[in-house]
């Protein structure tokens, strides 16, 4: 699968990854996330028919700073 983001995704946990898109507003990040989802869904993964739903799927989310990353005063 060819990369289409400006930065390299990094592994955050076992099956968790993060992609940081500097200078990208939330609507642009949503477009990038949807493109990634579409490409993942269209990719011909070996043995995908053995998956419970017969497809390889993913879930994701988009957050921006500071809108979604504010800290509450302590």
């Amino acid at each position: 699968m060819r990369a289409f983001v400006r930065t390299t995704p990094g592994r955050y946990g076992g099956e968790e990854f993060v992609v940081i898109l500097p200078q990208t507003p939330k609507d642009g990040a949503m477009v990038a996330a949807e493109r990634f989802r579409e490409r993942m869904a269209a990719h011909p993964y070996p043995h995908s028919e053995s998956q419970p739903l017969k497809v390889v799927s993913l879930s994701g989310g988009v957050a921006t700073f500071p809108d979604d990353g504010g800290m509450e005063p302590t």
Side-chain angles (χ1 to χ4, degrees):
M1 192 178 314
R2 197 176 98 230
F4 63 93
V5 293
R6 287 176 275 170
T7 60
T8 303
R11 185 175 292 253
Y12 183 72
E15 295 180 358
E16 300 164 345
F17 293 85
V18 62
V19 176
I20 299 173
L21 301 169
Q23 307 300 314
T24 304
K26 189 176 283 190
D27 59 344
M30 291 293 292
V31 169
E34 179 59 17
R35 284 184 191 157
F36 185 73
R37 188 201 64 76
E38 289 172 353
R39 289 182 183 200
M40 292 283 297
H43 187 76
Y45 292 99
H47 312 292
S48 62
E49 68 280 352
S50 66
Q51 297 299 310
L53 298 176
K54 310 294 185 223
V55 297
V56 175
S57 64
L58 64 94
S59 61
V62 171
T64 58
F65 184 83
D67 298 340
D68 302 312
M71 296 178 56
E72 296 293 322
T74 57

